[in-house]
Amino acid sequence: MTDSNGIVAVAGCPQPPLLLPGITGRPVAEVERLRAACLAAVGELLAAGPSRVVVVGGAGPGEAGRGADDKALSIVLGRQLLAEAGCRVSVEHLVMAADSPPADCLQAGKSLAGT
């Protein structure tokens, strides 16, 4: 999450498909606890009062930048959690290839932070 001062908060959540509502068919206690923990993390992020949120996710080798980045599981799940948490600010996304060199990841982070 960023504002005019750069990055003000970060929430890290796993991206298993099981976290999407209805995937398990019926409630599974372990999955529901994990979803609740993810929603709590996203809620704390939103409580910091961001002006925008950037969902950063991963794609398999060679998949990032192919026009379907908004369909990447990590992005879909991030947007779903934000919607469930009542996000009312602009949401963008950034997909990085899973095999991105560390220098590319660092540059993306600096770009998000505005430095």
Side-chain angles (χ1 to χ4, degrees):
M1 166 190 64
T2 65
D3 69 7
S4 60
N5 297 318
I7 297 173
V8 296
V10 175
C13 296
Q15 64 175 18
L18 290 175
L19 288 178
L20 292 169
I23 293 293
T24 58
R26 61 179 177 77
V28 175
E30 294 84 358
V31 173
E32 295 305 311
R33 284 194 298 272
L34 180 56
R35 279 183 53 74
C38 290
L39 282 169
V42 171
E44 287 184 36
L45 176 126
L46 294 174
S51 59
R52 74 179 177 134
V53 175
V54 180
V55 177
V56 179
E63 293 178 347
R66 291 198 174 172
D69 287 349
D70 62 334
K71 303 284 190 272
L73 176 60
S74 54
I75 302 304
V76 171
L77 182 57
R79 287 182 177 272
Q80 176 71 36
L81 291 168
L82 286 163
E84 287 182 45
C87 181
R88 302 278 184 247
V89 298
S90 172
V91 178
E92 302 167 23
H93 66 268
L94 170 64
V95 176
M96 298 291 297
D99 60 352
S100 293
D104 291 356
C105 298
L106 179 60
Q107 184 57 44
K110 286 181 177 182
S111 177
L112 287 174
T115 62

